[in-house]
Amino acid sequence: MRSIRRGDSGPAVAEIRSILVGLELLSEEGSEVFDDATDHAVRAFQQSRGIGVDGLVGDETWGALDAARWRLGARTLFHSVPNALVGEDVRTLQERLLEMGYDTGRADSIYGPRTARAVAQFQREVGLTQDGSCGPQTMKALRRLGRKVVGGRPQWLREAEAFRQAGTNLMGKTIVIDPGHGGGEDLGVVVPEGPLRWTEADLVFDLAARLEGRLAAAGMRVHLTRGPHPAQPMTGAERATLANSLGADLLISLHLDGHHSEAAHGVATYHYGTGNGLSSTVGERLANLVQREIVVRTGMRDCRIHSKTWELLRLTRMPAVRVDLGYLTSPIDRDRLVNPLFREQIVEAILAAVQRMYYPVEIDVPTGSIDVRQLRVALGAGS
């Protein structure tokens, strides 16, 4: 859909305003004009959902608004094929079950088979009919019971334990590298510079191709989500589906940023997390490692790590991060990013972070201390 923004009007705007009123982010409905108050409310909604804050209602923001209509208990939830139920009520249920120790997978707002199995397990333990649906009786039992597990989210504890069991060697592990944008006219950030034109899509693909070679040399199975010139752009959901189908152990998405001010510069890394504190512990660790290695090895400004619910981070079934590797609109960052030698520094930083992901915390090493050239030497030596 075309993004709806400030100044637009019509029935679609009226529907957006109605949802925002129901969420108590806007005081009155009835108007069909996307005014300043609506823009402020949309931005507040985006911030609360971990979506990029731009005030535009595109596909992702509209999907989140549509899902936000539902509150847990307002409808019966069940596993529907082929069109699964999606909504804020599903995510609330998933988060509640995760807190109680049931394995719903990631709280992705989709009532899939894993969520239905978790509900059926809960129903069995409280003496209800095990049909995997969440209706009035199941809701009553959920309200009656408190948390079963204290001291950590069971889902993330399971994820962390799986990494611990995987061992420290990169050999045979699968990683998906996602160069952002690409396809048709989706070039991402574009900056003309004299006779040249730098594009986010081209630069991040170059980085992805370099990273593919280095990770493969270290023994990993590496997949890219796209080639250099794809015919069509891919959505975040499509990229997540591809990574899931490949059975990836990790996903790293590469992007560049842009801003109207040339003064904005630096690197930031994003992991899955919601506004109410639910976060992927392993994804957060990967984000921390990638961010710190890049900052130490390149000297780029540290814009820190952040939690988001972008589709690519929310729908993947493995730890996933998105790295914004600087601002193409910044002369400082751009001069470095267009230099192939600097891009090699970034690649080495990410490779070091991936290796450290598989080190147990108790034997982790200082940031910047891994000689990534030794990873290939070790592989050649059969270790």
Side-chain angles (χ1 to χ4, degrees):
M1 64 176 287
R2 182 188 75 83
S3 293
I4 302 171
R5 64 193 71 203
R6 183 165 44 192
D8 288 346
S9 61
V13 175
E15 188 169 5
I16 291 168
R17 287 177 57 89
S18 177
I19 296 172
L20 292 169
V21 169
L23 296 172
E24 298 183 350
L25 293 173
L26 201 60
S27 59
E28 59 178 281
E29 56 182 306
S31 172
E32 293 190 352
V33 178
F34 199 121
D35 55 13
D36 288 345
T38 307
D39 178 80
H40 180 78
V42 167
R43 291 173 184 272
F45 174 79
Q46 291 172 325
Q47 180 71 34
S48 71
R49 295 307 192 275
I51 302 170
V53 179
D54 57 12
L56 306 178
V57 181
D59 288 335
E60 186 170 10
T61 298
W62 170 250
L65 282 166
D66 190 46
R69 301 172 189 265
W70 299 103
R71 289 288 177 269
L72 185 59
R75 59 175 175 170
T76 296
L77 298 172
F78 56 93
H79 180 213
S80 173
V81 178
N83 299 315
L85 296 180
V86 178
E88 192 78 5
D89 51 349
V90 178
R91 189 178 78 171
T92 302
L93 173 64
Q94 291 169 327
E95 292 179 356
R96 182 69 187 278
L97 289 169
L98 284 168
E99 289 174 346
M100 298 173 70
Y102 298 99
D103 184 9
T104 66
R106 187 159 294 179
D108 58 8
S109 304
I110 302 171
Y111 204 101
R114 200 164 172 181
T115 300
R117 285 195 297 271
V119 170
Q121 182 184 357
F122 170 76
Q123 290 170 326
R124 180 173 66 251
E125 292 185 7
V126 297
L128 297 176
T129 303
Q130 303 169 45
D131 60 6
S133 65
C134 184
Q137 293 304 312
T138 302
M139 278 301 308
K140 184 177 179 180
L142 281 168
R143 293 189 184 104
R144 189 173 64 245
L145 297 178
R147 294 184 180 183
K148 287 172 55 179
V149 178
V150 179
R153 299 273 183 169
Q155 170 65 11
W156 312 132
L157 295 176
R158 282 188 286 266
E159 210 173 66
E161 178 60 17
F163 258 79
R164 193 186 71 81
Q165 295 286 349
T168 61
N169 200 321
L170 296 182
M171 176 73 74
K173 295 179 173 68
T174 301
I175 186 169
V176 169
I177 305 299
D178 171 46
H181 300 281
E185 298 181 358
D186 184 13
L187 301 176
V189 180
V190 179
V191 177
E193 188 175 49
L196 302 174
R197 186 182 72 152
W198 303 109
T199 72
E200 177 183 359
D202 288 343
L203 287 170
V204 296
F205 181 79
D206 176 84
L207 279 160
R210 292 170 185 269
L211 186 56
E212 177 186 26
R214 299 295 290 273
L215 289 167
M220 298 193 82
R221 292 191 291 262
V222 190
H223 302 274
L224 268 58
T225 57
R226 68 170 177 89
H229 305 293
Q232 299 292 332
M234 295 177 69
T235 65
E238 289 169 339
R239 294 168 194 253
T241 298
L242 175 61
N244 290 338
S245 70
L246 293 168
D249 300 302
L250 294 173
L251 179 142
I252 298 177
S253 183
L254 306 177
H255 284 256
L256 300 178
D257 214 334
H259 197 271
H260 61 80
S261 170
E262 291 186 346
H265 67 284
V267 57
T269 307
Y270 303 88
H271 62 92
Y272 173 76
T274 66
N276 61 5
L278 182 66
S279 176
S280 167
T281 304
V282 181
E284 186 174 357
R285 179 168 185 246
L286 176 59
N288 260 310
L289 290 173
V290 169
Q291 181 72 13
R292 286 157 47 199
E293 287 286 349
I294 291 175
V295 168
V296 167
R297 290 172 184 263
T298 68
M300 296 185 78
R301 180 187 179 193
D302 185 1
C303 296
R304 299 185 298 280
I305 71 168
H306 309 272
S307 62
K308 296 290 181 184
T309 60
W310 292 325
E311 287 182 334
L312 182 65
L313 303 178
R314 177 170 55 88
L315 299 178
T316 42
R317 293 197 291 266
M318 75 293 302
V321 298
R322 166 175 158 168
V323 195
D324 282 12
L325 295 159
Y327 285 77
L328 199 53
T329 48
S330 159
I332 297 172
D333 285 352
R334 184 170 64 251
D335 286 348
R336 306 178 80 182
L337 289 164
V338 300
N339 183 341
L341 294 178
F342 182 76
R343 295 200 294 274
E344 277 295 325
Q345 284 184 274
I346 292 176
V347 166
E348 291 187 353
I350 296 175
L351 177 55
V354 170
Q355 176 62 82
R356 290 178 65 192
M357 270 298 293
Y358 288 96
Y359 287 164
V361 174
E362 59 270 18
I363 66 167
D364 195 11
V365 297
T367 301
S369 66
I370 290 180
D371 183 353
V372 295
R373 291 170 298 179
Q374 295 303 313
L375 296 179
R376 185 183 300 188
V377 172
L379 178 64
S383 60

